[in-house]
Amino acid sequence: MAAYIGTRTDSVRAYRKNGLLPPPDLVEGGKPYWLADTVRAWLARSAINRPRRDTND
């Protein structure tokens, strides 16, 4: 997932820890798996995908 959304693995772990990821589509052996469509939909509506606003303008 980290490679797909263009971030580090640690960032994805933090998103999951803080409840920011969608529920996994599949869990096998305790490992969560997300379908590409689920990740795309989550990324499209996520604050992670929005550009930062610079308030110092």
Side-chain angles (χ1 to χ4, degrees):
M1 182 185 249
Y4 189 80
I5 64 174
T7 189
R8 297 183 327 210
T9 306
D10 292 341
S11 298
V12 174
R13 285 187 191 117
Y15 298 155
R16 185 164 186 231
K17 179 182 172 187
N18 292 312
L20 299 174
L21 293 179
D25 295 305
L26 177 65
V27 177
E28 286 186 0
K31 290 181 133 184
Y33 295 93
W34 290 267
L35 298 175
D37 289 339
T38 303
V39 175
R40 274 189 226 108
W42 167 75
L43 192 58
R45 67 178 183 271
S46 168
I48 296 162
N49 193 36
R50 295 191 184 102
R52 296 179 93 179
R53 287 185 163 176
D54 190 6
T55 57
N56 295 331
D57 286 341

